[in-house]
Amino acid sequence: MRKGYMMIKVLLVAAIVAGCSSAGGGTKIEQMDFQAEMDWKVPEPAVGKRPRILFVGNSHIFYNDLSGTFARIANAFGYKSDVYELSKGHYSLKQYANPEDSLGELFDKTVTGKKWDFVVLQENISTALSTSAEEDMFPYARALDEKVKSSGGQTAFLMTWAPRDGKKEGLKKKSCEELQSVMASNYMTISNELDDLVIPAGIGFMRCTSSYPEIELWDKDGYHPSPAGTYLTACMAYAVVYQQSPENCSYIGDLDSEQALKLQQIAAQVVLG
C-alpha cells in the first residue's frame, strides 16, 4: 500500500464519509480523530545533502519566520539547506497559479526551469476551509503541482490550522475541531490524488492542544501562529523532509527547553508515528 492511502482510510472515514445527510437534510460534519495513528507519504527520492526548498503561501508562513525557523532547526542537526520563501498576506493558490498575477508571474520565474527539491504550498485559510474545494482549491493545486514536478521537484502541502475559537457560518458556529476536520480532508484529498507530501501542522495543533493545553499555539488574533505554533510547524516540516525526529534539537528560539521538547515530541509522534 502506498503511503498516504492509510491516512485517507483512517481519517476521512470521520470526515468525508461522515458528511451524510442529517435528520434535517443538511450536511453533518463530525470531529476527526486527531489522536489516530497516520501513515504519511515519505519523500521520493529522500532528501539530499543540501536541498533547495521553497515555501509558498501567505501570512501563515511569514509570521514568526517559518522558513527561517525550519532552516535553523535543520542546521542545528548538521544539515545545510537552501531555503527560500514566496509569501504575501491573504494570498491563495489561485493567485499563485495565475501567470498574470504579480506573484503568480514570480512563482513561474522562480520554479520553472530551476531545480527545487521541495516546494511547500500553503492555501489561504478561507479557501482551505471551503466546502467546495473541488472548485476553489484543487484546480490551482494541480496547476502548481504540475509546474513543480516539471522542474523535477516534490510538492509538499502545508496543512495549516483552523481558527482557535471556531468560526460562525450562517446561524451556526463550528468549533475549531470541526473546521480542522474539513481542512484536513481537503488537503489530504488533493495530496493523495497528486501523490504529494503533506506537512500536517493542523493535526499537530489539535494533538498538542489536547496533550498540552497550557501551550498557546495561536497569536492573539486566533488565526495566525504564536512563536510556539510556528516552532511546532517547523518541527513537523523537518520531520517530513528529513524523516527524522526533531526531538532534542538544540535550536529552540525564544521558547523554554521544556516547552520546545513537548513540541518536538508532538511533531515526531504525528509525522513519524
Side-chain angles (χ1 to χ4, degrees), residues 125-249:
I125 187 172
S126 297
T127 307
L129 285 170
S130 173
T131 55
S132 56
E134 294 85 354
E135 300 175 359
D136 301 333
M137 175 180 174
F138 295 172
Y140 312 107
R142 295 183 187 110
L144 295 173
D145 176 72
E146 182 179 359
K147 294 177 182 179
V148 173
K149 288 176 178 171
S150 295
S151 298
Q154 298 183 63
T155 300
F157 287 101
L158 173 56
M159 178 202 299
T160 48
W161 42 90
R164 178 188 56 206
D165 302 319
K167 184 179 180 182
K168 189 173 181 180
E169 295 185 357
L171 299 177
K172 181 183 177 183
K173 182 177 181 180
K174 289 186 177 179
S175 69
C176 178
E177 291 79 10
E178 287 178 302
L179 294 173
Q180 192 65 57
S181 294
V182 174
M183 186 182 295
S185 67
N186 285 339
Y187 271 107
M188 293 189 300
T189 297
I190 190 60
S191 66
N192 273 267
E193 175 194 319
L194 299 173
D195 194 22
D196 286 337
L197 301 165
V198 177
I199 300 170
I203 292 177
F205 270 50
M206 296 298 99
R207 184 81 62 93
C208 185
T209 299
S210 176
S211 300
Y212 307 112
E214 73 278 8
I215 300 179
E216 181 54 73
L217 300 175
W218 285 265
D219 188 54
K220 292 180 180 180
D221 64 8
Y223 283 82
H224 292 97
S226 69
T230 295
Y231 187 80
L232 173 59
T233 303
C235 283
M236 300 190 79
Y238 173 83
V240 170
V241 170
Y242 286 93
Q243 288 295 295
Q244 293 183 9
S245 171
E247 292 171 278
N248 301 309
C249 179

Side-chain angles (χ1 to χ4, degrees), residues 101-113:
D101 182 276
S102 59
L103 263 66
E105 180 183 13
L106 184 56
F107 180 92
D108 269 352
K109 291 180 178 179
T110 303
V111 173
T112 304

Side-chain angles (χ1 to χ4, degrees), residues 255-266:
L255 306 178
D256 64 64
S257 57
E258 181 180 358
Q259 186 181 68
L261 179 58
K262 289 177 180 178
L263 297 173
Q264 294 162 6
Q265 290 172 337
I266 289 291

